[in-house]
């Protein structure tokens, strides 16, 4: 396995992760990230890890964190003591084997990936919401500056708007598997800009982008 950069942080505040932004099927998450052109994040946990609970129940319920995730990421939980398995990384592995594959020795650990499931960077341990939001901005924008220096600066990045052309099969997959996705059959005057809108009408798609929606999927077949 290649050696990847580890973001090492010392943090003392509380943090959490909302269930609404956390999927539980790695293969589904990998496919969604590719279709929606979002970064992928795998959250490695165990059932008895208190800081995993804090991460899920406190940091990921923070409004800013949730908005950054909904606009830019697909998050999925890989819990060690489950029967889950994945074929997303070239071989079939249980989630327990996935821990070994990515050298996860402590939990929680969050591995970040490109939209093509290429590993980028990982965060070992728990982080408070304010720090976690900075990490999300840092990772999504693929900033090369050292994180400790970047963290001293103000960054108001929220997300990147993208109008993506997809097949009907891809659109159906998103609507069936992404709880953040909605079908737009008519103009939405006040859209939730953090949702993923799916439409087969180019005028509706362009209007949604104009209104600030970060991901719009236009069905082209």
């Amino acid at each position: 396995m290649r050696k990847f950069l580890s973001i090492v942080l010392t943090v003392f505040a509380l943090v959490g992760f909302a269930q609404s932004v956390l999927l539980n099927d790695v293969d589904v998450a990998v496919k969604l990230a590719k279709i929606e052109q979002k970064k992928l994040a795998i959250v490695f946990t165990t059932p008895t890890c208190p800081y995993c609970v804090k991460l899920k129940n406190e940091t990921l319920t923070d409004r800013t964190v949730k908005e950054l995730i909904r606009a830019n990421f697909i998050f999925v939980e890989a819990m060690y003591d489950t029967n889950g398995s994945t074929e997303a990384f070239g071989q079939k592995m249980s989630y327990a084997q996935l821990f070994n594959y990515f050298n996860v020795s402590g939990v929680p650990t969050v591995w970040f990936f490109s939209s093509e499931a290429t590993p980028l960077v990982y965060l070992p341990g728990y982080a408070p919401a304010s720090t976690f939001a900075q990490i999300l901005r840092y990772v999504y924008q693929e900033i090369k500056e050292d994180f400790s220096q970047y963290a001293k600066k103000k960054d108001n990045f929220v997300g990147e708007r993208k109008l993506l052309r997809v097949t009907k099969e891809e659109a159906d997959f998103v609507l069936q598997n992404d709880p953040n996705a909605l079908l737009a059959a008519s103009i939405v005057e006040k859209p939730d800009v953090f949702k993923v809108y799916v439409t087969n009408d180019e005028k509706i798609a362009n209007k949604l982008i104009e209104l600030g929606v970060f991901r719009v999927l236009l069905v082209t077949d």
Side-chain angles (χ1 to χ4, degrees):
M1 161 145 338
R2 292 160 49 194
K3 183 177 180 180
F4 301 106
L5 173 66
S6 169
I7 303 173
V8 181
L9 301 168
T10 303
V11 293
F12 301 97
L14 299 180
V15 74
F17 211 91
Q19 190 64 32
S20 61
V21 297
L22 196 58
L23 304 178
N24 58 17
D25 187 312
V26 171
D27 287 351
V28 167
V30 168
K31 188 169 181 178
L32 286 174
K34 184 174 183 178
I35 295 171
E36 298 177 17
Q37 291 187 19
K38 293 182 176 181
K39 294 286 196 293
L40 170 71
I42 300 179
V43 183
F44 290 89
T45 67
T46 65
T48 58
C49 162
Y51 281 99
C52 298
V53 175
K54 290 177 71 66
L55 182 66
K56 292 188 286 184
N57 291 346
E58 295 173 26
T59 299
L60 297 190
T61 59
D62 176 81
R63 179 176 178 177
T64 298
V65 169
K66 288 177 66 176
E67 288 178 349
L68 285 166
I69 291 172
R70 292 173 66 209
N72 306 294
F73 292 87
I74 298 293
F75 265 68
V76 61
E77 181 178 18
M79 187 177 289
Y80 188 87
D81 296 323
T82 69
N83 295 319
S85 64
T86 177
E87 298 181 10
F89 299 99
Q91 58 184 294
K92 185 171 183 177
M93 292 181 283
S94 68
Y95 286 0
Q97 291 171 319
L98 197 63
F99 271 66
N100 293 330
Y101 187 78
F102 286 105
N103 295 321
V104 175
S105 58
V107 289
T109 290
V110 182
W111 261 101
F112 293 98
F113 303 80
S114 72
S115 61
E116 298 294 325
T118 300
L120 299 173
V121 64
Y122 71 93
L123 169 68
Y126 157 83
S130 58
T131 302
F132 204 86
Q134 289 180 305
I135 292 167
L136 294 177
R137 294 186 177 104
Y138 179 85
V139 170
Y140 185 84
Q141 297 175 92
E142 298 188 18
I143 293 172
K144 304 305 180 184
E145 181 182 19
D146 183 78
F147 180 77
S148 62
Q149 295 301 314
Y150 163 79
K152 298 175 184 178
K153 303 174 183 178
K154 186 174 182 179
D155 184 356
N156 294 322
F157 175 82
V158 179
E160 181 181 9
R161 298 180 196 173
K162 291 186 179 183
L163 196 167
L164 306 172
R165 296 180 182 274
V166 300
T167 66
K168 184 179 185 302
E169 180 181 358
E170 290 172 329
D172 288 342
F173 184 86
V174 169
L175 289 169
Q176 291 167 10
N177 293 282
D178 187 349
N180 193 44
L182 282 178
L183 178 65
S186 59
I187 294 292
V188 182
E189 295 297 340
K190 294 182 179 180
D192 178 347
V193 298
F194 301 101
K195 281 194 172 294
V196 177
Y197 286 90
V198 180
T199 183
N200 59 8
D201 187 314
E202 192 158 3
K203 290 183 178 179
I204 294 174
N206 287 326
K207 182 64 174 179
L208 287 166
I209 290 292
E210 180 185 324
L211 291 171
V213 174
F214 292 106
R215 284 298 183 282
V216 178
L217 307 185
L218 177 61
V219 184
T220 57
D221 66 350

